[in-house]
Amino acid sequence: MGFSMKRYFKFLIIILLVCISYARAQEILADVTCNIEQVPPSNKDYLLDFDKRIKEYINNYRWIGKNYGDDKIKVSISILFVSGNSDNVYNAKVVIESQRPLFDGESSKGKTTKIFRALDDKWEFVYEKGKPLDHEERRFDPLTSFIDFYMLTILGFDADTYEKELSGTPLFERAKNIVQMGASSNKMGWKKTAGSTYSRWDLNEELLSAKMVPLRVGFFNYHYNGLDIKSSQPDLAYKNVLNALEQIASVKKNNPNSILVRNFFDLKYIEIAEFFKDYPDKSVYKKLIEFDKAHYKEYEKYLKD
C-alpha cells in the first residue's frame, strides 16, 4: 500500500510539473472584449461567454512552444458584432493590437511598445454555443482560423523585433497557409483586394514580399538596436533609429499604399517624436517630417519647443 501511494504521489508531481511547464510556455496574454448591442435579442444569450471562450482559446494554447516567462506578448481584441441570425451566422468588426516589453540588456523595465494594430471589419463566421473551439491550422474554420491568422501574425511581428532580422518569416508562412484556405472558402476578408482596401491576404502578402525586406530589417533595428538600448547606449540608439526610419521611409516612397508602412507610422509617430526629445539637434524633427508627412503636426510640436 505504501509503495502504491508513493508511486501515486510521484505521478501527481510529474503531472504538476508538466502543467507548470505548459503554462510557462504559453506566449500570448490576450484580453478580449465584445459588444453585442447590435445583435438581435434572440442571439445575445448565445454570445454571453464568447469573449471568455476566445480569450481561453488564445491564452491556453502553446502557439510556438517558446517560453516567454513573464514577458508574454500582450494582445487586446475588441469585437463589435454587427449582425447575427437564426442560423448562428455572425458578422463582426475587430480591432486587434499587440505590444511587447522594452528591454535594456536582458531585463524588462516595465515599459512597452506597440507592435501591431489591425482594424478588420470583415469577419463572418458561425458560432454555436458550447461547441468546442479546436486548434487545427490545416483545416479552415471561419471562426478559429481568423484568430489563428492574427496570433501567428502577431508572433511573427514580435520575432521580427527581437530575435533577429526577418525571424518572423516562418510564422508569416504559417499564416499564409490559412490565408490561402480562407481565399478558397470565399469568406469575406481573405482575398486580395484592389487599391488601399485592407484584407488579410494583402497584409500577409506584404509581410512575405521581397519589396518589404528593407522595412522589416528597419523594424528590427528600430526596436532591438534602438528602443531596447536607449537607456544604456543613447547615442547609438539615436543613430540606429534614424537609419531604421530612413529605411522604412524609402519603402514608403515606392509603396505609398503599403499596409505595413501605414501601420508602423500610425502606431509609432508619438513614440518617435518622444524618442528624440532629448536629442541635441532639434532639426532632427525636420527629417522626421520628411519621413512621415502624415503626422507632421506632432513633430512640429517638438521642433518648436
Side-chain angles (χ1 to χ4, degrees):
M1 178 71 175
F3 178 74
S4 297
M5 288 298 293
K6 187 181 293 185
R7 290 185 63 187
Y8 173 73
F9 283 117
K10 185 177 180 180
F11 174 77
L12 285 181
I13 290 170
I14 291 172
I15 293 296
L16 179 62
L17 290 174
V18 168
C19 289
I20 292 172
S21 175
Y22 179 88
R24 287 179 177 172
Q26 293 152 8
E27 305 92 351
I28 296 175
L29 182 62
D31 181 59
V32 182
T33 59
C34 291
N35 184 323
I36 60 174
E37 292 303 311
Q38 296 184 43
V39 174
S42 57
N43 290 89
K44 286 183 178 179
D45 286 346
Y46 293 101
L47 296 172
L48 292 177
D49 67 343
F50 187 81
D51 52 352
K52 179 183 177 182
R53 296 195 66 201
I54 296 299
K55 184 176 179 179
E56 291 173 348
Y57 179 84
I58 296 170
N59 292 347
N60 296 342
Y61 185 62
R62 301 173 68 181
W63 292 92
I64 55 176
K66 182 179 177 182
N67 189 349
Y68 279 61
D70 294 329
D71 293 317
K72 293 180 174 63
I73 302 168
K74 293 183 179 179
V75 175
S76 66
I77 303 175
S78 300
I79 304 169
L80 171 64
F81 282 86
V82 296
S83 68
N85 61 32
S86 58
D87 294 324
N88 296 315
V89 177
Y90 298 93
N91 282 277
K93 297 180 180 180
V94 187
V95 177
I96 300 176
E97 297 184 344
S98 73
Q99 56 183 293
R100 78 152 171 85
L102 287 179
F103 296 92
D104 183 5
E106 293 299 322
S107 60
S108 170
K109 300 296 184 181
K111 296 181 179 180
T112 61
T113 181
K114 293 180 180 179
I115 298 296
F116 175 78
R117 177 192 293 153
L119 169 58
D120 194 317
D121 61 355
K122 295 179 176 63
W123 188 19
E124 181 184 12
F125 58 91
V126 173
Y127 175 67
E128 298 177 19
K129 186 178 177 68
K131 184 179 178 180
L133 302 181
D134 298 321
H135 288 273
E136 179 50 77
E137 287 181 33
R138 292 169 295 183
R139 178 180 59 82
F140 182 77
D141 177 272
L143 196 166
T144 56
S145 294
F146 178 93
I147 299 297
D148 293 350
F149 168 79
Y150 278 112
M151 294 308 104
L152 291 171
T153 299
I154 284 169
L155 286 161
F157 266 92
D158 185 78
D160 263 9
T161 71
Y162 187 68
E163 293 183 10
K164 61 181 180 180
E165 294 176 358
L166 309 179
S167 58
T169 298
L171 291 155
F172 299 144
E173 291 283 3
R174 285 170 62 182
K176 179 181 179 179
N177 294 333
I178 297 172
V179 168
Q180 290 176 332
M181 290 189 293
S184 298
S185 75
N186 291 319
K187 292 294 183 182
M188 294 190 301
W190 293 104
K191 291 186 176 181
K192 184 174 178 61
T193 58
S196 58
T197 305
Y198 174 85
S199 77
R200 286 149 239 152
W201 179 290
D202 296 323
L203 171 62
N204 184 257
E205 184 177 58
E206 279 197 24
L207 285 167
L208 292 171
S209 170
K211 296 187 301 183
M212 294 296 155
V213 167
L215 180 144
R216 289 177 58 196
V217 172
F219 200 64
F220 173 80
N221 287 319
Y222 175 88
H223 292 91
Y224 189 78
N225 294 318
L227 299 189
D228 283 341
I229 66 168
K230 171 72 180 299
S231 61
S232 59
Q233 303 178 72
D235 291 341
L236 182 58
Y238 288 135
K239 178 183 176 181
N240 290 339
V241 165
L242 279 173
N243 288 339
L245 292 175
E246 192 163 2
Q247 278 183 292
I248 294 167
S250 69
V251 174
K252 179 182 179 181
K253 184 177 180 180
N254 297 319
N255 303 274
N257 294 321
S258 165
I259 295 170
L260 296 180
V261 172
R262 185 168 64 248
N263 182 74
F264 176 82
F265 282 115
D266 284 351
L267 278 181
K268 298 293 189 180
Y269 72 95
I270 294 176
E271 179 179 85
I272 293 168
E274 185 70 13
F275 182 86
F276 287 100
K277 70 175 184 178
D278 296 323
Y279 193 70
D281 183 1
K282 292 300 179 184
S283 67
V284 69
Y285 287 100
K286 293 181 180 179
K287 185 169 287 190
L288 297 181
I289 291 171
E290 291 177 15
F291 294 156
D292 180 25
K293 292 182 175 63
H295 302 106
Y296 75 93
K297 289 185 179 179
E298 184 68 23
Y299 304 126
E300 281 186 342
K301 292 179 189 176
Y302 289 80
L303 186 61
K304 293 174 182 177
D305 287 346

